[in-house]
Amino acid sequence: MPGEKILVIDDDTNILEVLQMRLKAWNYHVAIAKDGKKAKTALSATPFNLVIIDLRLAEENGIELMEEIIGCYPNLPIIILTAHGSIESAVEAMRKGAYSYITKPFNNEDLSLHIKNALEKQLLTKEIEHLRSQLDKQNNFKHIIGNNKRMQEILERVAKIAKTDCTVSIYGESGTGKELIARTIHHNSNRAKGPFVTLNCGAIPEELLENALFGHIRGTFTGAHESKEGLFLQANGGTIFLDGIGNTSPALQIKLLRVLQERDFKPIGGTKSVKVNVRVIVAANTDLQKAVNDGTFREDLFYRIHVVPIYIPSLRERKDDIPLLATYFMTEFCKVLKKDIKGFTPAAIQRMMLYDWPGNIRELQNKVEHAVIMANKDVIATEDIFNSTNTLKNTFNSYRDAKERFEREYLENLLRMNKGNITNASKMAKRYRADIYKLIKKYNINPEIYKNDLILINTENICT
Ligand SMILES: Nc1ncnc2c1ncn2[C@@H]1O[C@H](COP(=O)(O)OP(=O)(O)OP(=O)(O)O)[C@@H](O)[C@H]1O
Ligand SMILES: [Mg+2]
């Protein structure tokens, strides 16, 4: 794709000249840098499509520089130049995220092929990002995949909650779909035409969080040349989704409590309160009840946000959904990439079912995306999904882990069926109450959450 911008980093002037000439002859735009400092300046000034970097730079470590670049520009492909005989460092570079490597001296054909492939990869990544944002915008229920019984119950509950205006708290491990559920609630509510504003409280430094949420008045602090509207005001008439609520400081928790109670707030440096009409949805991937017990989360705020809790199970607790989700993501990615893949091999499905998915649905989505890009045949095989660092050896659990997983799942189901009532649960399991308590303690489970299941079925009754 001529016209793309390529940055070449090498301390050897001869190589720089040769590369510059060849790349220009192929109609690419080329910039050169002799060291890391110049390279970073160039990268921050112009968006590049590709970087070619020599691993052995005179003054610095090429791999470290490469890692730094990947950290800042994760979607920018990097091709490594390496001397013959130093393949090991090239392999290390690949493991750390380089796209490919070429050994010196290189021939024109090789160089051109590596560049074309890397640029194609960058284009695909961009298209996929676009698709993702498109997918996120379409927030109908049909984009939430899940036949699992617990997921079906959650979706029924979501449909009911959406029509009310109550505060919702969503709990689940990272990547389980908390934001997707929050968006769905918003888009199926009476506020659907209003804004949906999200903030990940854990991703912003504490001192900036208050400013982001409530804004400030001009002249309040050095640099505050203009007044700034906070996210609460931006969400007026719509919904604000606060992810990582468990990461907020006690001072901010007081402010959040006030907005939830009074539906007003004061911007930083302001004297007048500003009224807002906002629905609040919060999410946490930690146990907030435990945080309350530990004294790190305000109890009054907890009860304010814990009006309608939704607990999203991890993917390993709903493995029956894996084939469905994998096929859904495959079909979506095939559409964008214009690939015609029919499905997965039985072995691939089996391996996916055995794997534990610590990153939940996001990890599954990423692995399928990668597999669709890599697949050369019309079915996706195990090795397209799992690379060598992810072998069955790593995913197969020890006997102890497997037993603990069973015990935990059994206990969760038992409590769910008995709505958190320990006496009934112990009868059903034919065990002493003390045994059940012991397990509850061992797995740090809060039986209260299963009581809420009961209330939640009739959410209209408690939401005003
Ligand atoms: N049931 C589902 N069906 C289809 N796609 C899903 C489902 N659940 C999650 N996803 C997709 O998985 C990705 C991760 O979901 P999301 O961002 O909602 O997770 P999260 O729980 O908010 O994660 P985090 O805790 O890291 O913020 C998104 O791309 C989302 O669209
Ligand atoms: Mg999220």
Side-chain angles (χ1 to χ4, degrees), residues 178-179 200 241 243 362:
K178 298 184 292 296
E179 182 164 341
N200 185 346
F241 173 56
D243 205 347
R362 181 178 297 112

Side-chain angles (χ1 to χ4, degrees), residues 449-463:
I449 65 178
Y450 300 101
K451 271 185 196 148
N452 282 323
D453 274 6
L454 224 196
I455 304 169
L456 286 168
I457 293 165
N458 301 309
T459 46
E460 292 96 329
N461 298 345
I462 53 165
C463 298

